[in-house]
Amino acid sequence: MSASQTSSSDVPTLLVKIFGKDSPGITAGLFDTLAAYSVDVVDIEQVVTRGRMVLCALVTEPPQGLEGDLRATVHSWAESMKMQAEIISGLGDNRPRGLGRSLVTVLGHPLTAEATAAIAARITKTGGNIDRIFRLAKYPVTAVEFAVSGVETEPLRTALAPDAAKLGIDVAVVAAGLYRRAQRLVVMDVDSTLIQDEVIELFAAHAGCEDQVAEVTAAAMRGELDFEQSLHARVALLEGLDASVVDKVRSEVRLTPGARTLIRTLKRLGYQVGVVSGGFTQVTDDLKERLGLDFAHANTLEIVDGKLTGKVTGEIVDRAGKARLLRRFAAEAGVPLSQTVAIGDGANDLDMLNAAGLGVAFNAKPVVRQAAHTAVNFPFLDTVLYLLGITREEVEAADTIETV
C-alpha cells in the first residue's frame, strides 16, 4: 500500500493499544507480532510512567480475512507478556491538527491537580486541543509541556496569564516549530538576575552610604525614578572611594542559584549568551571572563589617580539602552531578534524583554511580570531552560560529559 493510500481518510486502520507493567522487549514483540500480517505503521506513541507502559500503534488493516486472526494473536501475545490489549477499528490517520500550534510550559512547586485542571480547561475554552503532554523536570520544580493546536499563540498566552497568577504557577506560551531547535541568543540582566546582589550597593557598603543608595535603587527599579538620574545620584555617593574596592566587590558577588548550570548548558547547545547591566563594567567584564559569556556591556565607573570620581563614563546603559544592546548582540551573533531570549527583573529591563522573541521576568517586580511574555517566580535561574524545552535529564546527562 502506498504512502498516499495509507494517509487517505477512507483507508481502514486499526488502533492497537497495549498497556500494563513495562518490561524489556514489549515494543519489539508487538511489532514482530504485527509483521506477520503485512500491515504498515501509520503512527506510534509510547509512554512509560512509574513503570507502567501505554503503547499505541496505528496500523493499516491486514489483508482481507486476517483481521480476526490478528486480533486473537495480539491478545494472546499481550497475555503472555502479562499486558492487556485493546484493538479499535477505524478509518484513516489521526484527525488533522488545527491551525495554530503552541507549546505551553507549566512550572509548579508543587504542581497541583487543581492547577493542572485549570490550565487544561482554559486551553479547551480558548478553542485549543491538547495533543501531547510531556514532563520536562521534577527538580527543582515540576515542569510539564503541553503541545497545543487549534489556537494562535498570542491569544492563548493572554488567556492563560490570569490563571497562572491566580494559581501561583508559572506558564510560558511559545509558538511551536523548528525554531525551538535553532541557535539562539540569551541576554540577561545582571543585578538580581544573574547575581543575587545589586552591585552599586556592594560598592556603597564600602563607602558607608549603603542605606542611601539602596533607597534610590529600590525606587528606580519600581519605575518611580528616571534611571539615568538615579544612577548619577548613586554613583556620586561613591566619590573618593579607593579603586582597590573593585577587587573586593568582585569577590563579594554571589551568583544566583542555577546561573552556572544555565550558562553551561546553553553554551553546550551552541547558544550564545550575553549580559547587559545598569551596573558597571568593573564587575561585568569579570563575569564575562569567569562564565565564558559571549557579550557583556554595562556602565563604567570613572577612576582617576586610583580613586572613584563619583562619575560614569560613556553612553549610559538604561532601559532603552538595554533593548538597543539586545539588538546589537543579535546582529553580531547572526541570530534573528525572534530567536532571542531576554531575562530581567526590573522596570529598566522592560524594553529589552518586549523586544526579545521571549521575554522572561525572573522573580520580578509586579509591573515587570505583567508586561513580560512569561515569568519565573522560583529562585533558580536554570528553570529558564525548561521554557526552551530542555529537560532536566538532558541537563544532568550533559554534566556527565567532559567538556572540550
Side-chain angles (χ1 to χ4, degrees), residues 275-340:
V275 294
V276 291
S277 177
F280 310 110
T281 57
Q282 282 83 357
V283 170
T284 57
D285 287 352
D286 180 62
L287 290 170
K288 180 182 180 182
E289 183 177 352
R290 285 167 50 195
L291 299 174
L293 302 174
D294 299 285
F295 305 98
H297 200 93
N299 301 303
T300 299
L301 291 169
E302 184 180 64
I303 298 175
V304 177
D305 296 331
K307 301 286 185 182
L308 274 65
T309 66
K311 299 177 181 178
V312 291
T313 62
E315 182 182 0
I316 299 297
V317 179
D318 55 8
R319 175 169 167 167
K322 287 187 174 184
R324 286 195 299 271
L325 287 164
L326 172 70
R327 293 186 176 93
R328 183 194 304 174
F329 293 168
E332 293 177 9
V335 174
L337 201 59
S338 60
Q339 291 294 98
T340 62

XYZ file of all heavy atoms in Angstrom, residues 275-340:
493
model
N 25.253 39.499 28.708
C 24.643 40.256 29.802
C 24.655 41.734 29.457
O 25.567 42.227 28.784
C 25.368 40.031 31.147
C 25.205 38.600 31.620
C 26.838 40.410 31.067
N 23.616 42.417 29.907
C 23.573 43.873 29.843
C 23.207 44.349 31.236
O 22.403 43.725 31.925
C 22.547 44.389 28.816
C 22.992 44.072 27.413
C 21.168 43.810 29.070
N 23.808 45.465 31.649
C 23.607 45.868 33.030
C 23.648 47.377 33.190
O 24.449 48.059 32.534
C 24.698 45.234 33.915
O 24.574 45.662 35.252
N 22.786 47.840 34.075
C 22.876 49.224 34.512
C 23.940 49.391 35.575
O 24.125 50.482 36.105
N 24.618 48.278 35.877
C 25.740 48.299 36.809
C 27.021 48.708 36.110
O 27.000 49.581 35.237
N 28.116 48.010 36.410
C 29.416 48.534 35.993
C 30.304 47.479 35.337
O 30.321 46.318 35.743
C 30.125 49.135 37.208
C 29.238 50.082 37.963
C 28.755 49.754 39.225
C 28.833 51.283 37.388
C 27.898 50.604 39.900
C 27.983 52.140 38.056
C 27.504 51.802 39.317
N 31.046 47.940 34.315
C 31.940 47.044 33.598
C 33.014 46.460 34.514
O 33.546 45.389 34.220
C 32.626 47.780 32.433
O 33.324 48.934 32.944
C 31.610 48.223 31.394
N 33.314 47.159 35.582
C 34.304 46.640 36.518
C 33.897 45.272 37.064
O 34.752 44.482 37.471
C 34.512 47.615 37.685
C 35.399 48.812 37.353
C 34.659 49.950 36.655
O 33.473 49.861 36.353
N 35.376 51.036 36.369
N 32.594 44.987 37.053
C 32.096 43.681 37.508
C 31.693 42.807 36.322
O 32.013 41.630 36.278
C 30.916 43.853 38.480
C 30.237 42.518 38.765
C 31.395 44.492 39.778
N 30.998 43.373 35.332
C 30.503 42.547 34.220
C 31.631 41.978 33.377
O 31.524 40.864 32.861
C 29.546 43.340 33.316
O 30.204 44.512 32.833
C 28.290 43.735 34.089
N 32.736 42.717 33.221
C 33.873 42.181 32.470
C 34.447 40.953 33.165
O 34.854 39.981 32.516
C 34.963 43.249 32.297
C 34.582 44.316 31.286
O 33.556 44.149 30.609
O 35.304 45.335 31.197
N 34.472 41.007 34.498
C 34.958 39.860 35.272
C 34.014 38.669 35.123
O 34.458 37.527 34.956
C 35.090 40.257 36.743
C 35.600 39.118 37.618
O 36.735 38.663 37.383
O 34.850 38.680 38.525
N 32.708 38.927 35.177
C 31.733 37.854 34.998
C 31.832 37.238 33.606
O 31.709 36.023 33.446
C 30.319 38.391 35.226
C 29.950 38.756 36.664
C 28.618 39.496 36.690
C 29.881 37.510 37.542
N 32.046 38.070 32.592
C 32.178 37.573 31.232
C 33.328 36.587 31.128
O 33.200 35.504 30.526
C 32.396 38.739 30.265
C 32.540 38.306 28.808
C 32.796 39.495 27.886
C 32.938 39.027 26.438
N 33.245 40.152 25.526
N 34.445 36.929 31.745
C 35.614 36.052 31.689
C 35.389 34.775 32.494
O 35.698 33.670 32.033
C 36.844 36.801 32.224
C 38.129 35.984 32.148
C 39.336 36.770 32.619
O 39.218 37.990 32.856
O 40.420 36.169 32.748
N 34.842 34.908 33.679
C 34.646 33.754 34.565
C 33.631 32.752 34.008
O 33.797 31.544 34.149
C 34.171 34.218 35.947
C 35.250 34.841 36.813
C 34.622 35.556 38.011
N 33.672 34.710 38.719
C 32.786 35.169 39.610
N 32.715 36.471 39.851
N 31.975 34.337 40.229
N 32.578 33.260 33.387
C 31.483 32.405 32.955
C 31.520 32.057 31.466
O 30.693 31.294 30.987
C 30.144 33.078 33.284
C 29.893 33.361 34.769
C 28.607 34.157 34.950
C 29.836 32.064 35.570
N 32.480 32.627 30.741
C 32.597 32.336 29.316
C 31.475 32.929 28.489
O 31.013 32.327 27.514
N 31.047 34.149 28.860
C 29.969 34.810 28.135
C 30.466 35.337 26.791
O 31.643 35.652 26.631
C 29.402 35.964 28.967
C 28.859 35.590 30.355
C 28.477 36.842 31.133
C 27.671 34.651 30.228
N 29.548 35.455 25.857
C 29.902 35.959 24.535
C 29.826 37.478 24.458
O 30.570 38.101 23.684
C 28.960 35.357 23.485
C 29.055 33.846 23.434
O 30.053 33.343 22.883
O 28.150 33.177 23.963
N 28.925 38.075 25.232
C 28.712 39.518 25.183
C 28.532 40.058 26.600
O 27.990 39.382 27.464
C 27.455 39.869 24.370
C 27.439 39.320 22.973
C 26.757 38.144 22.685
C 28.104 39.974 21.950
C 26.740 37.627 21.401
C 28.086 39.471 20.660
C 27.412 38.296 20.386
N 28.995 41.281 26.808
C 28.760 41.960 28.084
C 28.877 43.462 27.854
O 29.786 43.926 27.160
C 29.765 41.513 29.142
N 27.947 44.208 28.432
C 28.010 45.658 28.319
C 27.356 46.269 29.548
O 26.326 45.798 30.022
C 27.307 46.146 27.055
C 27.732 47.515 26.626
N 28.742 47.732 25.716
C 27.308 48.736 27.001
C 28.904 49.029 25.538
N 28.041 49.665 26.313
N 27.967 47.322 30.060
C 27.453 47.992 31.256
C 28.013 49.405 31.297
O 28.746 49.837 30.403
C 27.853 47.219 32.512
N 27.657 50.144 32.335
C 28.245 51.457 32.571
C 29.653 51.282 33.140
O 30.006 50.210 33.641
C 27.375 52.237 33.565
C 25.952 52.413 33.059
O 25.724 52.957 31.985
N 24.977 51.928 33.825
N 30.441 52.336 33.080
C 31.812 52.262 33.593
C 32.051 53.346 34.628
O 31.817 54.538 34.375
C 32.834 52.433 32.442
O 32.644 51.370 31.491
C 34.261 52.390 32.974
N 32.479 52.915 35.802
C 32.841 53.869 36.847
C 34.149 54.560 36.460
O 35.131 53.906 36.098
C 33.034 53.145 38.185
C 31.777 52.564 38.848
C 32.164 51.668 40.012
C 30.854 53.692 39.316
N 34.156 55.875 36.530
C 35.378 56.626 36.226
C 36.338 56.531 37.407
O 35.949 56.743 38.561
C 35.038 58.084 35.950
C 36.254 58.905 35.527
C 35.896 60.351 35.254
O 35.473 61.051 36.214
O 36.026 60.781 34.088
N 37.598 56.197 37.083
C 38.647 56.102 38.110
C 39.805 56.990 37.682
O 40.335 56.861 36.580
C 39.118 54.645 38.284
C 37.952 53.754 38.760
C 40.283 54.575 39.273
C 38.297 52.289 38.842
N 40.192 57.900 38.538
C 41.304 58.813 38.282
C 42.236 58.789 39.491
O 41.793 58.939 40.636
C 40.804 60.250 38.035
C 41.994 61.200 37.847
C 39.892 60.297 36.804
N 43.542 58.569 39.225
C 44.548 58.545 40.296
C 44.173 57.555 41.390
O 44.343 57.818 42.595
C 44.742 59.939 40.888
C 45.297 60.938 39.877
O 46.023 60.503 38.945
O 44.962 62.131 39.993
N 43.627 56.399 40.966
C 43.340 55.343 41.931
C 42.109 55.575 42.791
O 41.902 54.856 43.773
N 41.277 56.554 42.415
C 40.078 56.862 43.195
C 38.850 56.923 42.268
O 38.952 57.349 41.118
C 40.212 58.209 43.909
C 41.394 58.318 44.867
C 41.156 57.538 46.144
C 42.301 57.774 47.135
N 42.117 56.982 48.388
N 37.708 56.525 42.792
C 36.464 56.716 42.066
C 36.101 58.193 42.102
O 36.161 58.825 43.167
C 35.332 55.882 42.684
C 35.194 54.422 42.197
C 36.418 53.592 42.590
C 33.926 53.786 42.775
N 35.723 58.728 40.943
C 35.418 60.163 40.870
C 33.961 60.479 41.199
O 33.597 61.654 41.308
C 35.710 60.703 39.455
O 34.797 60.082 38.530
C 37.153 60.416 39.053
N 33.133 59.429 41.312
C 31.712 59.676 41.521
C 30.981 59.913 40.211
O 29.843 60.399 40.213
N 31.623 59.554 39.086
C 31.018 59.738 37.769
C 31.111 58.435 36.969
O 31.915 57.548 37.294
C 31.717 60.859 36.993
C 31.643 62.231 37.676
C 32.423 63.262 36.872
C 32.382 64.630 37.572
N 33.172 65.645 36.817
N 30.289 58.359 35.933
C 30.394 57.252 34.987
C 30.806 57.813 33.645
O 30.540 58.978 33.329
C 29.059 56.480 34.860
C 28.753 55.721 36.127
C 27.923 57.407 34.489
N 31.451 56.975 32.843
C 31.927 57.419 31.531
C 31.172 56.671 30.431
O 30.683 55.566 30.634
C 33.432 57.166 31.375
O 33.693 55.749 31.471
C 34.215 57.877 32.464
N 31.114 57.260 29.265
C 30.494 56.622 28.112
C 28.984 56.701 28.132
O 28.372 57.342 28.988
N 28.382 56.025 27.147
C 26.932 56.016 26.994
C 26.281 55.255 28.141
O 26.726 54.166 28.524
C 26.566 55.356 25.662
C 25.076 55.336 25.354
C 24.758 54.629 24.052
O 25.723 54.163 23.391
O 23.580 54.539 23.701
N 25.242 55.824 28.710
C 24.555 55.204 29.831
C 23.718 54.017 29.352
O 22.983 54.114 28.371
C 23.639 56.220 30.552
C 24.469 57.375 31.117
C 22.837 55.540 31.654
C 25.468 56.949 32.166
N 23.834 52.898 30.060
C 23.008 51.735 29.775
C 21.750 51.847 30.636
O 21.747 51.526 31.817
C 23.752 50.423 30.082
C 22.838 49.221 29.792
C 25.027 50.319 29.264
N 20.675 52.326 30.015
C 19.407 52.482 30.714
C 18.383 51.539 30.084
O 18.742 50.604 29.365
C 18.935 53.932 30.659
C 18.828 54.472 29.227
O 18.976 53.665 28.272
O 18.583 55.680 29.059
N 17.118 51.799 30.329
C 16.061 50.928 29.819
C 16.111 50.812 28.302
O 16.122 49.704 27.750
C 14.708 51.474 30.277
C 13.506 50.747 29.740
C 12.250 51.200 30.462
N 11.039 50.763 29.790
C 9.818 50.810 30.317
N 9.657 51.301 31.536
N 8.764 50.391 29.639
N 16.152 51.933 27.598
C 16.218 51.903 26.136
C 17.547 51.332 25.660
O 17.612 50.642 24.640
C 16.010 53.304 25.574
N 18.610 51.626 26.402
C 19.927 51.134 26.027
C 20.022 49.619 26.059
O 20.698 49.006 25.219
N 19.347 48.991 27.014
C 19.378 47.530 27.080
C 18.735 46.906 25.846
O 19.226 45.905 25.314
C 18.674 47.053 28.354
C 19.461 47.305 29.628
C 18.800 46.661 30.829
C 19.667 46.803 32.071
N 19.102 46.105 33.240
N 17.631 47.499 25.384
C 16.984 46.990 24.176
C 17.881 47.180 22.958
O 17.969 46.301 22.091
C 15.644 47.689 23.968
N 18.564 48.326 22.887
C 19.491 48.559 21.767
C 20.623 47.534 21.781
O 21.031 47.025 20.732
C 20.070 49.977 21.837
C 19.106 51.080 21.446
C 19.838 52.385 21.185
N 20.557 52.859 22.362
C 20.035 53.647 23.300
N 18.772 54.052 23.187
N 20.747 54.039 24.332
N 21.123 47.230 22.968
C 22.216 46.268 23.072
C 21.759 44.866 22.708
O 22.501 44.103 22.097
C 22.796 46.290 24.490
C 23.625 47.544 24.811
C 23.829 47.686 26.310
C 24.975 47.480 24.098
N 20.533 44.518 23.066
C 19.993 43.222 22.658
C 19.998 43.109 21.135
O 20.427 42.088 20.574
C 18.568 43.055 23.190
C 17.799 41.827 22.677
C 18.382 40.545 23.255
C 16.309 41.932 23.010
N 19.541 44.167 20.464
C 19.517 44.148 19.000
C 20.943 44.088 18.431
O 21.198 43.398 17.446
C 18.790 45.387 18.486
C 17.291 45.399 18.821
C 16.588 46.586 18.160
N 15.150 46.547 18.407
C 14.556 47.175 19.416
N 15.282 47.902 20.270
N 13.248 47.085 19.584
N 21.856 44.809 19.068
C 23.249 44.800 18.597
C 23.863 43.416 18.760
O 24.509 42.890 17.840
C 24.082 45.822 19.371
C 25.528 45.899 18.876
C 26.425 46.644 19.848
N 25.941 47.986 20.136
C 26.494 48.789 21.049
N 27.542 48.360 21.756
N 26.001 49.996 21.256
N 23.667 42.821 19.919
C 24.211 41.480 20.158
C 23.627 40.480 19.158
O 24.334 39.615 18.642
C 23.882 41.006 21.577
C 24.574 41.777 22.679
C 24.164 41.603 23.999
C 25.605 42.644 22.417
C 24.787 42.289 25.026
C 26.231 43.350 23.435
C 25.818 43.171 24.749
N 22.317 40.594 18.894
C 21.672 39.678 17.956
C 22.272 39.810 16.560
O 22.526 38.808 15.881
C 20.170 39.930 17.924
N 22.511 41.057 16.136
C 23.109 41.286 14.818
C 24.513 40.698 14.756
O 24.889 40.050 13.768
C 23.132 42.785 14.517
N 25.292 40.907 15.813
C 26.655 40.384 15.838
C 26.674 38.858 15.903
O 27.580 38.218 15.361
C 27.423 40.970 17.031
C 27.670 42.472 16.917
C 28.374 43.044 18.139
O 28.822 42.239 18.998
O 28.473 44.281 18.252
N 25.683 38.289 16.572
C 25.616 36.834 16.698
C 25.027 36.176 15.454
O 25.109 34.951 15.294
C 24.787 36.458 17.924
N 24.404 36.988 14.573
C 23.749 36.432 13.405
C 22.473 35.691 13.749
O 22.098 34.725 13.075
N 21.791 36.144 14.799
C 20.565 35.496 15.272
C 19.400 36.459 15.089
O 19.473 37.607 15.536
C 20.701 35.115 16.771
C 19.378 34.586 17.315
C 21.803 34.075 16.952
N 18.306 36.046 14.449
C 17.143 36.929 14.324
C 16.618 37.338 15.690
O 16.704 36.558 16.651
C 16.118 36.065 13.576
C 16.901 34.968 12.953
C 18.088 34.728 13.830
N 16.070 38.526 15.780
C 15.542 39.006 17.053
C 14.474 38.058 17.599
O 14.345 37.896 18.821
C 14.968 40.417 16.882
C 14.836 41.268 18.156
C 16.173 41.453 18.835
C 14.201 42.612 17.827
N 13.735 37.423 16.691
C 12.698 36.484 17.120
C 13.276 35.261 17.823
O 12.562 34.540 18.517
C 11.874 36.026 15.916
O 12.697 35.371 14.966
N 14.583 35.031 17.652
C 15.250 33.898 18.271
C 15.990 34.278 19.544
O 16.793 33.492 20.042
C 16.242 33.280 17.285
C 15.590 32.580 16.112
C 14.819 31.352 16.558
O 13.613 31.402 16.734
N 15.504 30.270 16.793
N 15.743 35.458 20.047
C 16.420 35.900 21.258
C 15.549 35.674 22.482
O 14.320 35.687 22.413
C 16.802 37.394 21.183
O 15.607 38.186 21.056
C 17.710 37.657 19.993
